[in-house]
Amino acid sequence: MRFFGRILASAALMVGLVVGYGPVEMSSAAAYHLEHCNFATKHTKRITGHPATTAYRGVADGAAAEWNRSRATTHVTVRGGGVDIVSYDHNYGNTSWDGETFYTCSSRHTVSSTVTANLNRYYADHYTHLEKTIVLTHEFGHALGLAHQTHTGCHAPPIMTPSALQPYHDCGRKYPQGDDIRGLSAIY
Ligand SMILES: [Zn+2]
């Protein structure tokens, strides 16, 4: 798939911290990458969607539910109606990404304000409701502290695959998978 989510961080608040694809924590049983910037505790994350059109109504709630549906719920829980994570949908044009996540990070590697996850309507307007939800689920993974995890094959392809819809289009997988959950376990 041509499009992929990306992480942007506020340079002004990134003192002493390089954000990118962090060190690979990998073994034969687990593989995940961390942003090395995340919420400080495993408190319940409050998520609010701000749908610009009816087509995006419920997407944020659905993406939150994707995480709660998974075994990750034992490590992190997300709920509607709050300001830990907010999501918006706008037409950002032909940018090559369909979703993106913004955060600012403290020197203690914790997010220092509300995390924003955006869907780019230039692409996402052509997606099904499920596809919109999958992309935002991937973005919420970034918001929770997960970085991209490259994967091949259809055995539990992570939702953090760089091309967020690839596990669904190639393998029919639409939920966070084992590596995603092990990554959250390592954080929280
Ligand atoms: Zn991404």
Side-chain angles (χ1 to χ4, degrees):
M1 192 167 161
R2 289 170 297 162
F3 322 124
F4 53 89
R6 66 177 180 178
I7 284 292
L8 297 179
S10 166
L13 294 177
M14 292 300 297
V15 178
L17 179 67
V18 175
V19 166
Y21 305 144
V24 182
E25 290 97 44
M26 181 179 295
S27 72
S28 60
Y32 50 81
H33 290 185
L34 305 180
E35 293 290 351
H36 297 289
C37 184
N38 47 260
F39 293 98
T41 70
K42 60 184 297 184
H43 70 281
T44 299
K45 313 304 181 293
R46 310 292 300 201
I47 294 178
T48 299
H50 296 278
T53 73
T54 56
Y56 289 80
R57 200 167 287 167
V59 171
D61 289 342
E66 297 292 343
W67 285 104
N68 287 333
R69 184 199 308 272
S70 75
R71 286 177 293 145
T73 188
T74 59
H75 308 292
V76 58
T77 303
V78 293
R79 292 279 186 269
V83 292
D84 289 312
I85 303 169
V86 297
S87 69
Y88 297 91
D89 42 277
H90 294 298
N91 187 336
Y92 294 95
N94 185 10
T95 57
S96 83
W97 52 265
D98 53 5
E100 64 176 359
T101 300
F102 294 90
Y103 59 77
T104 57
C105 199
S106 76
S107 60
R108 301 172 71 88
H109 293 201
T110 56
V111 294
S112 51
S113 60
T114 298
V115 177
T116 302
N118 294 321
L119 288 174
N120 184 356
R121 293 186 53 195
Y122 183 88
Y123 305 110
D125 275 0
H126 304 287
Y127 294 177
T128 65
H129 185 85
L130 176 58
E131 288 170 330
K132 294 179 177 71
T133 302
I134 290 170
V135 172
L136 198 58
T137 303
H138 172 107
E139 298 308 322
F140 286 172
H142 285 311
L144 293 169
L146 298 176
H148 286 155
Q149 172 60 45
T150 302
H151 186 85
T152 58
C154 285
H155 176 68
I159 196 80
M160 298 315 295
T161 297
S163 296
L165 289 175
Q166 186 177 357
Y168 174 61
H169 288 164
D170 291 355
C171 311
R173 297 298 188 119
K174 53 189 178 182
Y175 306 131
Q177 303 289 314
D179 284 341
D180 306 304
I181 293 159
R182 281 185 280 273
L184 285 187
S185 298
I187 298 171
Y188 300 105

